[in-house]
Amino acid sequence: MTNKSNLWFEEALLPSGWARNVAIAVSDGRIEAVRTQIDPGPADDRYGVALPGLSNVHSHAFQRGMAGLAETRGPAGDDFWTWREVMYRFLDRLGPADVEAIAAQAYMEMLEAGFTRVGEFHYLHHDIDGGRYTNVGELAERIAAAADLTGIGLTLLPVFYAHSGFGGADPKPAQRRFLSNRDLFSQLLDASHRAVASLPGANVGVAPHSLRAVTADELEAVVGLAVDGPIHIHAAEQLKEVEDCIRWSGLRPVRWLLEHMRVDQKWCLIHATHLTVDETQRLASSGAVAGLCPTTEANLGDGVFPAKEFLASGGVFGIGTDSNVLIETAGELRGLEYSQRLTLRERNVLGPSEGDSIGGALFRSASTGGAQALGAPHLGLRAGAPADIVTLDREHPSLIGRQGDALLDAWIFAGGGKLVETVWRNGNRVVEQGRHRKHREVTSHYRTVVKALLSG
Ligand code: NGQ
Ligand code: ZN
């Protein structure tokens, strides 16, 4: 039996631009037809403003469980590397059921924020003592189960991690839960495919963690396993990483990747914060997506991505919530623009031409770049795409009298997260009035798990 519904929106952001009086017919999770300038039918469900669901290109779901717990000053000056120690200590306690409950909470919050798909950069593979689980896909299955429970679209990115620094340095004990060799990684990849097999629209890519964690040979081998999925890698997030890379190879990390790998549309370079002008232009022309995570990059003191030059050179970006310290869509886009305003001392930076709405430019780029980065380029409000639709609360004071891109400006700069009203993912209405249908159940489970973790 097919499952059909007819939705009607006052305004909708289609691939061709804003349209009014839009009817979207949904059948078995897909958009069957989009018609504009049409009156609502008697059986249509009516809504205000429709946007395509956004892709969250970079998440480490388990880190949601330590959100806000790394904001106390330590004995020496705190930085990314001291944060990483705190994060390693937190994951020392996580069992499979904890991972699943925390991921479910994170994915539910993503849907409530307007993300309908997530790229999970999944590197927690082994047991607490570093021993293998009997089932090599144990934790990949927990991620898939959290996606299944909440309904979010999943791009699973199993991570290859083998070293603690450039040139194949031995891993640290605290990294024991992440480690693979080539043979184990191909098992993890097979297990990842099996874990997502029954999830609608899910796919699998590969994620060599960073140039710190893989050798050149390992990188080549892992990239060769990508087949038709995307390739994600952390790059040039911290200055120390850039300096260590130069010491190892004579080149900066992004330059090294551009010279040694065929970096193209299949690639997503996460952060890519520290770029020269030349790297910025070459990364933009490679067609790879820059996976920007403005909230986490601010939280970790990473630095500011040269977004203005990158976009001027035709670059494509997606946004990610990374450490999940705060899960927002509007907030990430606002953070990206504000980081540019603060460093350049200008306003309205990330709109390419006069008359461009900044909210509109940010949202469109994050939609197309995000979908590309997750190997799901067909996303959007168009016939044949999955019905991943987000509505904004038309009655919110920030949206009064706005139309078209002015709605996006109001949402991103003046409204915040609370404007997301209804979210469909694969045709299922998973969020209503800003709350996920399983909010109570998912959060009560999360509460139990986190209380136990923090009291232990
Ligand atoms: C991660 N997070 O893999 O969770 C990293 C920290 C590392 C960010 N880079 C670990 N934001 O890069 O070594
Ligand atoms: Zn990351």
Side-chain angles (χ1 to χ4, degrees), residues 58-60 63 121 123 209 234 237 270-271 293 322-323:
H58 192 67
S59 158
H60 307 290
Q63 291 175 13
F121 199 104
Y123 60 83
H209 181 275
H234 292 115
E237 181 181 10
I270 305 301
H271 309 302
C293 309
D322 192 353
S323 69

Side-chain angles (χ1 to χ4, degrees), residues 392-410:
L392 299 182
D393 173 9
R394 197 84 192 76
E395 301 307 314
H396 191 281
S398 296
L399 299 193
I400 297 168
R402 270 71 160 186
Q403 285 186 5
D405 278 355
L407 291 163
L408 294 170
D409 286 331

